[in-house]
């Protein structure tokens, strides 16, 4: 049997699962859970996998809602990554309900057809919107032996390639001395002044870097009352670059030096800490991209190939891609959509998006077939 026939089998397997996959997606959409609290979503996916003969292990890398389910005993290990956390106040405005259903459909269809010629993994990855479980999972070696890791994100176009920004957010806190603003004897030391200077210094600092960077932030604590000199001021800043090496070795040290210099000039004390882990830049595997594009063509879909440095956002899938061959394309679910908006949340629950998740699941499973030695 040639690969074309095998691919026809996984297409048929996904079609047979269509009611289950759509029900999975819509259940998650109607019952959104925040990062690290995705108990219903994780259990729903685990139960579905176990019914299909997958062996599941829960509580992975310190996350109660992370899991690894697998089926098969030999051959290449191919993983389909499921995300299922939602956003505060917006629900599934990043489409993780669709991602979970697509990955489960692909894992099940591939396992049903490949049998013991491969090991099909469904890896449940919570908290993508915050701490990123894949960061800890990658550090723990979860992805090290994989032949491929595959995940598709919903969007407003079919595309693949490009990259993501490496990001390592910082919390910057200046400490001063309180005083009454009208005191003639004690002027205090204003921590908010120092933080505002730091905030204003971020933009010109960005101009000093030789690679593309993003420096932005908000003031999260600016004082308690207008008649009290602020003794503690805090801001959170997103620090991003196209390379995790450049980010860690050049950008963040420069940001820290800026904070230290302002603290010295204002006679304050500064603390700079990472409040979320390092998300590395995404590396899309060329071979997987080739197979995926060919399979989308077989399904009647056109895919746009992005330039290597075309970055849009950050993802903990980047950390996976540094451990195993990875692909993270987008699939079209509607025009003029932007993630993390109410409009996107509505789109991810639409009937059309449920049709599109079936295309995504098929393309993923077909790409896995290309990795078999038949």
């Amino acid at each position: 049997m040639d690969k074309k026939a095998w691919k026809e089998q996984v297409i048929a397997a996904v079609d047979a699962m269509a009611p289950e996959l759509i029900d999975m997606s819509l259940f998650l959409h109607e019952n959104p859970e925040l990062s690290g609290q995705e108990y219903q979503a994780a259990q729903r996916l685990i139960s579905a996998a176990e019914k299909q003969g997958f062996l599941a292990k829960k509580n992975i890398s310190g996350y109660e809602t992370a899991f690894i389910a697998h089926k098969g005993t030999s051959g290449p290990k191919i993983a389909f990554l499921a995300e299922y956390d939602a956003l505060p106040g917006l629900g599934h405005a990043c489409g993780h309900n669709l991602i979970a259903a697509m990955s489960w459909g692909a894992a099940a269809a591939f396992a049903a057809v490949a049998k013991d010629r491969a090991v099909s993994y469904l890896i449940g990855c919570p908290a993508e919107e915050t701490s990123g479980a894949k960061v800890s999972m990658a550090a723990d070696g979860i992805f090290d032996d994989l032949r491929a890791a595959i995940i598709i994100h919903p969007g407003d176009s079919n595309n693949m390639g490009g990259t993501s920004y490496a990001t390592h957010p910082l919390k910057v806190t200046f400490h001063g001395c309180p005083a009454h603003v009208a005191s003639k004897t004690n002027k205090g030391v204003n921590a908010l002044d120092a933080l505002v200077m730091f905030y204003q210094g971020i933009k010109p600092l960005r101009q000093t870097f030789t690679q593309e960077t993003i420096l932005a932030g908000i003031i999260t604590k600016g004082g308690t009352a207008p008649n009290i000199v602020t003794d503690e001021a805090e801001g959170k800043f997103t620090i991003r670059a196209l390379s995790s090496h450049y980010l860690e070795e050049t950008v963040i040290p420069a940001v820290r030096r800026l904070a230290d210099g302002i603290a010295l000039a204002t006679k304050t004390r500064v603390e700079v800490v990472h409040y979320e882990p390092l998300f590395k830049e995404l590396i899309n595997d060329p071979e997987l991209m080739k197979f995926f594009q060919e399979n989308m063509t077989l399904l009647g879909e056109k895919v746009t190939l992005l330039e290597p440095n075309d970055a849009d956002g950050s993802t903990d899938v980047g950390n996976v891609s540094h451990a195993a061959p990875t692909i993270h394309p987008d699939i079209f679910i509607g025009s003029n959509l932007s993630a993390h908006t109410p409009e996107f949340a509505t789109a991810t629950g639409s009937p059309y998006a449920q049709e599109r998740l079936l295309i995504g699941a098929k393309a993923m499973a077909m790409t896995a077939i290309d990795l078999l030695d038949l």
Side-chain angles (χ1 to χ4, degrees), residues 157-215:
S157 64
N158 287 339
N159 64 62
M160 66 176 181
T163 184
S164 64
Y165 289 103
T167 179
H168 208 170
L170 289 172
K171 181 174 72 173
V172 179
T173 307
F174 286 93
H175 300 274
C177 294
H180 194 288
V181 294
S183 173
K184 295 181 179 180
T185 58
N186 181 10
K187 300 300 182 182
V189 177
N190 197 317
L192 181 58
D193 285 348
L195 181 61
V196 170
M197 289 175 63
F198 177 80
Y199 182 88
Q200 293 174 329
I202 282 290
K203 288 186 179 180
L205 178 65
R206 181 183 175 185
Q207 306 306 315
T208 67
F209 299 123
T210 58
Q211 296 185 20
E212 183 180 352
T213 60
I214 295 175
L215 306 178

Coordinates of all heavy atoms in Angstrom, one line a residue, residues 157-215:
S157 N -5.6 33.2 7.8 CA -5.0 32.8 6.5 C -4.4 31.4 6.7 O -4.2 31.0 7.9 CB -4.0 33.7 6.0 OG -2.9 33.8 6.9
N158 N -4.2 30.7 5.6 CA -3.4 29.5 5.7 C -2.0 29.9 5.4 O -1.6 30.4 4.4 CB -3.8 28.5 4.5 CG -5.1 27.8 4.8 OD1 -5.6 27.7 5.9 ND2 -5.8 27.3 3.7
N159 N -1.1 29.7 6.4 CA 0.3 30.0 6.2 C 1.2 29.1 7.1 O 0.7 28.5 8.0 CB 0.6 31.5 6.5 CG 0.3 31.9 7.9 OD1 1.0 31.4 8.8 ND2 -0.6 32.8 8.2
M160 N 2.4 29.1 6.7 CA 3.4 28.4 7.5 C 4.8 29.0 7.3 O 5.0 29.8 6.4 CB 3.4 26.9 7.1 CG 3.9 26.6 5.7 SD 4.0 24.9 5.4 CE 4.6 24.9 3.7
G161 N 5.7 28.6 8.2 CA 7.0 29.2 8.1 C 7.1 30.3 9.1 O 6.4 30.4 10.1
G162 N 8.0 31.2 8.8 CA 8.2 32.4 9.7 C 8.8 31.9 11.0 O 9.4 30.8 11.1
T163 N 8.6 32.7 12.1 CA 9.1 32.4 13.4 C 8.2 33.0 14.4 O 7.1 33.4 14.1 CB 10.6 32.8 13.5 OG1 11.1 32.4 14.8 CG2 10.7 34.4 13.4
S164 N 8.7 33.0 15.6 CA 8.0 33.8 16.7 C 9.0 34.6 17.5 O 10.2 34.3 17.4 CB 7.2 32.9 17.6 OG 8.1 32.0 18.3
Y165 N 8.6 35.5 18.2 CA 9.6 36.3 19.0 C 10.0 35.5 20.3 O 9.1 34.9 21.0 CB 9.0 37.6 19.5 CG 8.8 38.6 18.4 CD1 7.6 38.9 17.8 CD2 9.9 39.3 17.9 CE1 7.5 39.8 16.8 CE2 9.8 40.3 16.9 CZ 8.6 40.5 16.4 OH 8.4 41.5 15.4
A166 N 11.2 35.5 20.6 CA 11.7 35.0 21.9 C 11.3 36.1 22.9 O 11.4 37.3 22.6 CB 13.2 34.8 21.9
T167 N 10.8 35.7 24.0 CA 10.3 36.7 25.0 C 10.6 36.2 26.4 O 10.6 35.0 26.7 CB 8.8 36.9 24.9 OG1 8.4 37.8 25.9 CG2 8.0 35.6 25.1
H168 N 11.0 37.1 27.3 CA 11.4 36.8 28.7 C 10.9 38.0 29.5 O 11.7 38.9 29.8 CB 12.8 36.6 28.9 CG 13.1 35.6 30.0 ND1 14.4 35.1 30.2 CD2 12.3 35.2 31.0 CE1 14.4 34.3 31.3 NE2 13.1 34.4 31.8
P169 N 9.6 38.1 29.9 CA 9.1 39.3 30.5 C 9.8 39.7 31.9 O 10.2 38.8 32.6 CB 7.6 39.0 30.8 CG 7.3 37.9 29.8 CD 8.6 37.1 29.7
L170 N 9.8 41.0 32.1 CA 10.5 41.5 33.3 C 9.5 42.3 34.2 O 8.7 43.0 33.7 CB 11.7 42.4 33.0 CG 12.9 41.7 32.3 CD1 13.9 42.8 31.9 CD2 13.6 40.8 33.3
K171 N 9.7 42.1 35.5 CA 9.0 43.0 36.4 C 10.1 43.9 37.1 O 11.1 43.4 37.6 CB 8.3 42.2 37.5 CG 7.6 43.1 38.5 CD 6.7 42.3 39.5 CE 7.6 41.6 40.5 NZ 6.8 40.9 41.6
V172 N 9.9 45.2 37.0 CA 10.9 46.1 37.5 C 10.2 46.9 38.6 O 9.2 47.5 38.5 CB 11.3 47.1 36.3 CG1 12.3 48.1 36.9 CG2 11.9 46.3 35.2
T173 N 10.9 46.9 39.8 CA 10.3 47.5 41.0 C 11.4 48.5 41.5 O 12.5 48.0 41.9 CB 9.9 46.5 42.0 OG1 9.0 45.5 41.5 CG2 9.2 47.2 43.2
F174 N 11.0 49.7 41.7 CA 11.9 50.7 42.3 C 11.4 51.0 43.7 O 10.2 51.1 44.0 CB 11.9 52.0 41.5 CG 12.7 52.0 40.2 CD1 12.0 51.7 39.0 CD2 14.0 52.2 40.2 CE1 12.7 51.6 37.8 CE2 14.7 52.2 39.0 CZ 14.1 51.9 37.8
H175 N 12.3 51.1 44.7 CA 12.0 51.3 46.1 C 12.6 52.6 46.5 O 13.8 52.9 46.2 CB 12.6 50.2 46.9 CG 12.0 48.8 46.6 ND1 10.9 48.4 47.2 CD2 12.5 47.9 45.8 CE1 10.6 47.1 46.7 NE2 11.6 46.8 45.9
G176 N 11.8 53.5 47.1 CA 12.3 54.8 47.6 C 12.0 54.9 49.0 O 12.0 53.9 49.8
C177 N 11.7 56.2 49.5 CA 11.3 56.4 50.9 C 10.1 57.3 50.9 O 10.0 58.3 50.2 CB 12.4 57.2 51.6 SG 13.9 56.2 51.8
P178 N 9.1 56.9 51.7 CA 7.8 57.7 51.7 C 8.0 59.0 52.5 O 8.9 59.1 53.3 CB 6.8 56.8 52.4 CG 7.7 56.0 53.3 CD 9.0 55.8 52.6
A179 N 7.1 60.0 52.2 CA 7.1 61.2 52.9 C 5.8 62.0 52.4 O 5.2 61.6 51.4 CB 8.3 62.1 52.6
H180 N 5.4 62.9 53.2 CA 4.3 63.8 52.8 C 4.8 64.7 51.7 O 5.9 65.3 51.9 CB 3.7 64.6 54.0 CG 2.4 65.2 53.7 ND1 2.3 66.3 52.9 CD2 1.2 64.9 54.2 CE1 1.0 66.6 52.8 NE2 0.3 65.8 53.6
V181 N 4.0 64.9 50.7 CA 4.5 65.7 49.6 C 4.7 67.2 50.0 O 5.5 67.9 49.3 CB 3.5 65.7 48.4 CG1 3.5 64.3 47.8 CG2 2.2 66.2 48.8
A182 N 4.1 67.6 51.1 CA 4.2 69.0 51.5 C 5.2 69.2 52.7 O 5.4 70.3 53.2 CB 2.9 69.6 51.9
S183 N 5.9 68.1 53.0 CA 6.8 68.2 54.2 C 8.0 69.1 53.8 O 8.6 69.0 52.8 CB 7.3 66.8 54.5 OG 8.3 66.9 55.5
K184 N 8.4 70.0 54.8 CA 9.5 70.9 54.6 C 10.8 70.2 55.1 O 11.9 70.7 54.8 CB 9.3 72.2 55.4 CG 8.1 73.0 54.8 CD 8.0 74.3 55.6 CE 6.8 75.1 55.0 NZ 6.6 76.4 55.8
T185 N 10.7 69.1 55.9 CA 11.9 68.5 56.4 C 12.3 67.2 55.8 O 13.4 66.7 55.9 CB 11.7 68.3 58.0 OG1 10.5 67.5 58.2 CG2 11.5 69.7 58.6
N186 N 11.3 66.5 55.3 CA 11.5 65.1 54.7 C 10.9 65.1 53.3 O 9.7 65.0 53.1 CB 10.9 64.1 55.6 CG 11.2 62.7 55.1 OD1 12.0 62.5 54.1 ND2 10.5 61.7 55.7
K187 N 11.8 65.1 52.3 CA 11.3 65.1 50.9 C 11.1 63.7 50.4 O 10.5 63.5 49.4 CB 12.3 65.9 50.0 CG 12.5 67.3 50.4 CD 11.2 68.1 50.3 CE 11.4 69.6 50.6 NZ 10.1 70.3 50.6
G188 N 11.6 62.7 51.1 CA 11.5 61.3 50.7 C 12.3 61.0 49.4 O 13.0 61.9 48.9
V189 N 12.1 59.8 48.9 CA 12.7 59.4 47.6 C 11.6 58.8 46.8 O 11.0 57.8 47.1 CB 13.8 58.4 47.8 CG1 14.4 58.0 46.5 CG2 14.9 59.0 48.7
N190 N 11.3 59.4 45.6 CA 10.1 59.1 44.9 C 10.4 57.9 43.9 O 11.1 58.1 42.9 CB 9.6 60.3 44.1 CG 8.2 60.0 43.6 OD1 7.8 59.0 43.1 ND2 7.3 61.1 43.7
A191 N 9.9 56.7 44.2 CA 10.1 55.6 43.4 C 9.4 55.7 42.0 O 9.8 55.2 41.0 CB 9.7 54.3 44.1
L192 N 8.2 56.4 42.0 CA 7.5 56.5 40.8 C 8.3 57.4 39.8 O 8.2 57.1 38.6 CB 6.1 57.2 41.1 CG 5.2 57.4 39.9 CD1 4.9 56.0 39.2 CD2 3.9 58.0 40.3
D193 N 9.0 58.4 40.3 CA 9.8 59.2 39.4 C 10.8 58.3 38.6 O 11.1 58.4 37.4 CB 10.5 60.3 40.1 CG 9.6 61.4 40.5 OD1 8.5 61.5 40.0 OD2 10.1 62.3 41.3
A194 N 11.4 57.4 39.4 CA 12.4 56.5 38.8 C 11.8 55.5 37.8 O 12.3 55.3 36.7 CB 13.1 55.7 40.0
L195 N 10.6 55.0 38.1 CA 9.9 54.1 37.2 C 9.5 54.8 35.9 O 9.6 54.3 34.8 CB 8.7 53.5 37.9 CG 7.9 52.5 37.0 CD1 8.8 51.3 36.6 CD2 6.7 52.0 37.7
V196 N 9.0 56.1 36.0 CA 8.7 56.8 34.9 C 9.9 57.1 34.0 O 9.8 57.0 32.8 CB 8.0 58.2 35.3 CG1 7.8 59.1 34.1 CG2 6.6 57.9 35.9
M197 N 11.0 57.4 34.6 CA 12.3 57.6 33.9 C 12.6 56.3 33.1 O 13.1 56.4 32.0 CB 13.4 58.0 34.8 CG 13.3 59.4 35.4 SD 14.6 59.8 36.6 CE 16.0 59.7 35.5
F198 N 12.5 55.2 33.8 CA 12.8 53.9 33.2 C 11.8 53.7 32.0 O 12.3 53.3 30.9 CB 12.7 52.8 34.2 CG 12.9 51.4 33.6 CD1 14.2 51.0 33.4 CD2 11.8 50.6 33.3 CE1 14.4 49.7 32.9 CE2 12.0 49.3 32.8 CZ 13.3 48.9 32.5
Y199 N 10.6 53.9 32.2 CA 9.6 53.7 31.1 C 9.9 54.6 29.9 O 9.8 54.1 28.8 CB 8.2 54.1 31.7 CG 7.1 53.9 30.7 CD1 6.4 52.7 30.6 CD2 6.6 54.9 29.9 CE1 5.4 52.5 29.7 CE2 5.6 54.8 29.0 CZ 5.0 53.5 28.9 OH 4.0 53.4 28.0
Q200 N 10.3 55.8 30.2 CA 10.6 56.7 29.1 C 12.0 56.4 28.4 O 12.2 56.6 27.2 CB 10.7 58.2 29.6 CG 9.4 58.7 30.1 CD 9.5 60.1 30.7 OE1 10.5 60.4 31.4 NE2 8.5 60.9 30.6
G201 N 12.8 55.7 29.2 CA 14.1 55.3 28.7 C 14.1 54.1 27.8 O 15.1 53.8 27.1
I202 N 13.0 53.3 27.9 CA 12.9 52.1 27.1 C 12.9 52.3 25.6 O 13.6 51.6 24.8 CB 11.6 51.3 27.5 CG1 11.8 50.6 28.9 CG2 11.2 50.3 26.5 CD1 12.8 49.4 28.8
K203 N 12.2 53.4 25.2 CA 12.1 53.6 23.7 C 13.4 53.9 23.1 O 13.8 53.4 22.0 CB 11.0 54.6 23.5 CG 9.6 54.1 23.7 CD 8.5 55.2 23.3 CE 7.1 54.6 23.5 NZ 6.1 55.6 23.1
P204 N 14.1 54.9 23.6 CA 15.4 55.2 23.0 C 16.4 54.0 23.1 O 17.3 53.9 22.2 CB 15.9 56.4 23.7 CG 15.1 56.5 25.0 CD 13.8 55.9 24.7
L205 N 16.3 53.2 24.2 CA 17.2 52.1 24.3 C 17.0 51.1 23.1 O 17.9 50.5 22.6 CB 16.9 51.4 25.6 CG 17.7 50.1 25.9 CD1 19.2 50.5 26.1 CD2 17.2 49.4 27.2
R206 N 15.7 51.0 22.7 CA 15.4 50.0 21.6 C 16.2 50.4 20.4 O 16.6 49.5 19.6 CB 13.9 50.0 21.4 CG 13.5 49.1 20.3 CD 12.0 49.2 20.0 NE 11.6 48.3 18.9 CZ 10.4 48.3 18.3 NH1 9.5 49.1 18.8 NH2 10.2 47.5 17.3
Q207 N 16.4 51.7 20.2 CA 17.1 52.1 19.0 C 18.6 51.7 18.9 O 19.3 51.8 17.9 CB 17.0 53.6 18.8 CG 15.6 54.2 18.9 CD 14.7 53.5 17.9 OE1 15.0 53.4 16.7 NE2 13.5 53.2 18.4
T208 N 19.1 51.2 20.0 CA 20.5 50.9 20.1 C 20.8 49.4 19.7 O 22.0 49.1 19.5 CB 21.1 51.1 21.6 OG1 20.5 50.1 22.4 CG2 20.8 52.5 22.1
F209 N 19.8 48.6 19.5 CA 20.0 47.2 19.2 C 20.1 47.0 17.7 O 19.5 47.7 16.9 CB 18.8 46.4 19.8 CG 18.7 46.5 21.3 CD1 17.5 46.9 21.9 CD2 19.8 46.2 22.1 CE1 17.4 47.0 23.2 CE2 19.7 46.3 23.5 CZ 18.5 46.7 24.0
T210 N 20.9 46.1 17.3 CA 21.2 45.8 15.9 C 20.2 44.8 15.3 O 20.2 44.6 14.1 CB 22.6 45.3 15.7 OG1 22.8 44.1 16.5 CG2 23.6 46.4 16.1
Q211 N 19.4 44.1 16.2 CA 18.4 43.1 15.7 C 17.0 43.6 16.1 O 16.9 44.4 17.1 CB 18.7 41.7 16.3 CG 20.0 41.1 15.8 CD 20.2 39.7 16.2 OE1 19.2 39.0 16.6 NE2 21.4 39.2 16.2
E212 N 16.0 43.1 15.5 CA 14.7 43.6 15.8 C 14.3 43.2 17.2 O 14.5 42.0 17.6 CB 13.7 42.9 14.8 CG 12.2 43.4 15.0 CD 11.2 42.7 14.1 OE1 11.7 42.1 13.1 OE2 10.0 42.9 14.3
T213 N 13.8 44.1 18.0 CA 13.3 43.9 19.3 C 12.0 44.6 19.6 O 11.6 45.5 18.9 CB 14.4 44.4 20.4 OG1 14.5 45.8 20.2 CG2 15.7 43.8 20.2
I214 N 11.3 44.2 20.6 CA 10.1 44.8 21.1 C 10.3 45.1 22.6 O 10.6 44.1 23.4 CB 8.9 43.9 20.9 CG1 8.6 43.7 19.4 CG2 7.6 44.5 21.5 CD1 7.5 42.8 19.0
L215 N 10.2 46.3 23.0 CA 10.2 46.7 24.4 C 9.0 47.5 24.7 O 8.7 48.6 24.1 CB 11.5 47.5 24.7 CG 12.8 47.0 24.3 CD1 13.9 48.0 24.7 CD2 13.1 45.6 25.0

